[in-house]
Amino acid sequence: MAIVRNLARALVVPLLLALGACGDEPEPAAAPPATAAPGPSSPVPESASAAPPADPAARAAEIVARLSDEDLAGQVLMPYAYGSSATEVDEDNARANQGLAGVNTPAEMIAKYRLGGMILVGFTVDDPTSKTNPTTNVENPEQVRELTAGLRDAALKLPASAPLMIGMDQEYGTVTRVTEGVTILPSAMAFGAAARPDLTEAAWRAAGQEIAAMGVTVDFAPVADTLNTNGGGVIGSRSFGSDPKANAEQVAAAVRGLQSAGVAASLKHFPGHGHTTADSHDELPVIGQDRKRWEQQDLPPFRSGVDAGAGVVMSGHLNLQSVDKGVAATFSHKIMTDVLRGQLKFTGVAVTDAMNMAPAKKWPAGEAAVRALNAGNDMLLMPPDIGAARDGILAGLKDGSLKRERLTEAVTRILTLKFRTAQTPQPELSVIGSPAHQQAVTALDAAAVTVLRGRCTGALADGPVSVFAPANREVARVNLVKALQEAGVQVQTSGGAVIRLVGYGDQRVDLDDSAAITVMMDSPGLLAQATTPTLVATYSSSKLSLTALAAVIAGKAKAPGRSPIAVGKLPRSACAK
């Protein structure tokens, strides 16, 4: 709650600045392109050379009062860049950065546009967010730490002299940017199955320390979306489950864990993507519940995350018909200001979902930027045209379609959060993959394993076993084989009781009716179609999750998890009380 209280104090200065404004705020209009490059920054007063205020809010207010329009416009932008280094990139990445921003390197992009933030990106075929991530600039913890150090150095040379907000989608599960060398948490649904907020907080504290060690200051997690009862829709295992009260407890625990490590947590996708069927990367999904049901089903996890002090809320490109029909939440003042700020009392940083997604590209980049800011967003994530977004903001200030006090309010919140996260010293890389972190996540994985059909005591299979999986799950198959062997189970290449692994994106054709055990390593809905005598869900294909599974198969551990969504006519657990 300290974050909330101090951010509230931070808004006093920009609101005072607003007292000189007059007239009604006009409807945002398309911004004409700027014809001249931004001018020089406002000179820094001599008093600025004195020691900065210790309080992050006061320091933010002091800086905002002296920034130029160009500096303010840059602070609300968080694009991605090509290249795994801030200052040295190959010809292909330089060419890509030229097309994106007219520069060669990420550091040059920060300098040219006076950026307040940058997001690290990663493309994998099975990632549901891959459409907004055209490149990969993260490889391993050492490389990421070196990259973020270079990005921070570039930002500190700007007139704001403020840390860079460095974001990353490290949700774990199907959306995980850095996989090499880090302690891998399971998907959110595994946390829901374990139903142990204490273990959730401990696991996310471990994750937060590793994320902070890499130099990332904002993790775009946790997902606060509540699924429908059967877990349908596009969010799947990224959600904690279908129970809004249970999800609220999990979200609050994840926020506490992350932020105890000095990493700002981001609640997404506000006002809730769990009861939708369409993908907001491609179209504008509809949230069809009436206002009362939406407040009962979707709102509780966001409310609990705000109450836990989450520094960031991400707006979704979602059509909440009961509040502002036909308008994406990202561009809705009724949702992003009246509900988020007024009803939930959120005073942190509101960031848009990627502005290069289809619903946000309804307007040119400059006009979309102004509309998103006027709705109540503070930071614009991944604008499709950085220059046009910046120029649109400047044009909006000039023609009055964007009030300067709205922009200063946004930048004050951003700077306050950046100074607050900077108060926590960056951990050394040695914390990554530490035994303590492995232990914390292992405890969570063990609590999540769920038997939906089969034995509850003793080994799940008699005699030797053999493990099979679709070709794209070979890593998981090998990891389970090794874990079973370490647990004392005899594993054969063929001829034993068959264990069939399935995961994200698999369908009925990927099941094996002749298997003895079917294991789902993602949202367990597919198990409703499986005919095997034993059905198990791990909700994750991580090495630690499969190690926990091996202990259950070997009869050396119980399966205490309960599915957080309904799986056909199966019980939520055949074993847990």
Side-chain angles (χ1 to χ4, degrees):
M1 291 303 295
I3 290 176
V4 176
R5 289 193 297 269
N6 286 321
L7 281 173
R9 291 200 300 269
L11 299 185
V12 172
V13 171
L15 290 176
L16 289 175
L17 293 173
L19 293 179
C22 60
D24 295 332
E25 183 169 304
E27 182 73 11
T35 56
S41 303
S42 302
V44 178
E46 291 182 7
S47 60
S49 61
D55 177 66
R59 188 174 180 186
E62 182 272 325
I63 290 174
V64 167
R66 59 178 171 82
L67 291 182
S68 70
D69 289 353
E70 290 79 8
D71 295 322
L72 293 171
Q75 280 295 313
V76 302
L77 300 177
M78 181 183 270
Y80 65 89
Y82 292 84
S84 57
S85 166
T87 56
E88 298 180 7
V89 300
D90 60 28
E91 291 183 5
D92 289 340
N93 284 317
R95 190 178 305 111
N97 283 326
Q98 282 289 340
L100 182 64
V103 298
N104 289 328
T105 69
E108 291 172 3
M109 190 183 299
I110 291 170
K112 179 178 180 179
Y113 294 102
R114 308 176 195 180
L115 297 178
M118 187 165 282
I119 184 171
L120 308 185
V121 289
F123 174 85
T124 57
V125 174
D126 290 335
D127 188 330
T129 67
S130 61
K131 294 176 183 177
T132 60
N133 288 257
T135 186
T136 297
N137 59 9
V138 293
E139 299 165 9
N140 56 62
E142 293 77 14
Q143 173 267 324
V144 175
R145 185 178 173 110
E146 183 176 347
L147 169 61
T148 57
L151 298 176
R152 286 198 307 273
D153 288 345
L156 290 175
K157 296 174 184 177
L158 299 177
S161 299
L164 191 70
M165 185 181 290
I166 303 176
M168 185 167 66
D169 286 302
Q170 192 78 347
E171 293 179 17
Y172 301 95
T174 59
V175 179
T176 308
R177 296 290 176 253
V178 183
T179 59
E180 181 182 330
V182 300
T183 305
I184 297 292
L185 275 60
S187 69
M189 194 168 282
F191 290 87
R196 290 280 304 276
D198 58 326
L199 297 182
T200 299
E201 184 171 347
W204 275 104
R205 181 179 299 109
Q209 291 172 355
E210 299 195 2
I211 291 167
M214 291 185 279
V216 173
T217 64
V218 175
D219 188 12
F220 292 118
V223 171
D225 303 326
T226 296
L227 302 177
N228 63 40
T229 302
N230 296 318
V234 300
I235 297 299
S237 64
R238 299 170 67 191
S239 166
F240 291 107
S242 62
D243 183 335
K245 182 178 179 181
N247 289 1
E249 295 176 349
Q250 292 293 328
V251 166
V255 168
R256 292 193 298 268
L258 264 175
Q259 297 198 164
S260 69
V263 175
S266 177
L267 311 177
K268 64 184 189 186
H269 309 80
F270 187 77
H273 209 328
H275 285 84
T276 62
T277 56
D279 187 343
S280 57
H281 290 85
D282 304 315
E283 57 185 295
L284 181 61
V286 172
I287 304 173
Q289 304 105 304
D290 60 33
R291 178 70 179 256
K292 182 177 180 180
R293 288 181 63 82
W294 168 71
E295 290 186 351
Q296 292 173 339
Q297 295 174 340
D298 287 343
L299 204 55
F302 290 100
R303 187 189 300 278
S304 71
V306 168
D307 290 345
V312 179
V313 170
M314 176 182 285
S315 62
H317 307 316
L318 305 164
N319 176 10
L320 180 56
Q321 293 186 316
S322 65
V323 176
D324 201 357
K325 186 175 182 179
V327 180
T330 301
F331 305 101
S332 171
H333 190 275
K334 292 179 180 178
I335 295 171
M336 294 308 298
T337 298
D338 296 348
V339 175
L340 181 62
R341 303 292 185 187
Q343 186 174 344
L344 296 190
K345 309 301 181 186
F346 178 64
T347 57
V349 173
V351 61
T352 69
D353 205 343
M355 296 291 282
N356 61 1
M357 293 164 67
K361 294 169 72 175
K362 177 179 178 180
W363 304 280
E367 182 180 355
V370 171
R371 285 178 176 270
L373 288 166
N374 279 331
N377 292 282
D378 303 309
M379 181 157 271
L380 311 177
L381 184 64
M382 303 172 80
D385 186 325
I386 303 170
R390 187 274 314 275
D391 293 345
I393 293 169
L394 295 177
L397 291 174
K398 187 174 181 180
D399 67 21
S401 60
L402 175 64
K403 301 299 184 185
R404 197 174 193 274
E405 58 264 28
R406 169 74 274 268
L407 187 58
T408 58
E409 177 185 57
V411 176
T412 301
R413 289 174 177 148
I414 291 167
L415 290 175
T416 300
L417 182 63
K418 292 198 289 189
F419 288 131
R420 177 153 293 108
T421 55
Q423 289 179 326
T424 302
Q426 183 179 9
E428 296 298 325
L429 281 174
S430 58
V431 305
I432 296 179
S434 67
H437 291 179
Q438 297 280 319
Q439 183 176 1
V441 177
T442 294
L444 186 283
D445 286 315
V449 179
T450 306
V451 171
L452 290 91
R453 185 163 68 212
R455 302 174 185 170
C456 296
T457 58
L460 297 186
D462 298 321
V465 302
S466 53
V467 182
F468 295 92
N472 62 337
R473 311 211 179 280
E474 181 62 13
V475 172
R477 190 193 71 82
V478 170
N479 283 336
L480 180 58
V481 167
K482 292 179 179 178
L484 287 168
Q485 291 171 334
E486 292 175 359
V489 177
Q490 182 182 347
V491 183
Q492 302 177 171
T493 56
S494 63
V498 172
I499 300 173
R500 180 69 174 181
L501 299 179
V502 287
Y504 175 74
D506 286 342
Q507 300 176 0
R508 178 67 180 86
V509 68
D510 298 298
L511 298 174
D512 179 1
D513 292 337
S514 67
I517 301 172
T518 299
V519 178
M520 186 52 169
M521 303 181 294
D522 193 64
S523 183
L526 184 60
L527 293 180
Q529 303 178 50
T531 61
T532 50
T534 299
L535 303 175
V536 185
T538 63
Y539 316 93
S540 170
S541 60
S542 72
K543 187 175 182 179
L544 293 179
S545 289
L546 295 175
T547 298
L549 169 66
V552 172
I553 292 174
K556 295 185 175 181
K558 302 291 185 182
R562 295 184 76 257
S563 175
I565 62 170
V567 183
K569 296 181 180 180
L570 293 167
R572 296 294 182 104
S573 170
C575 301
K577 295 180 180 180

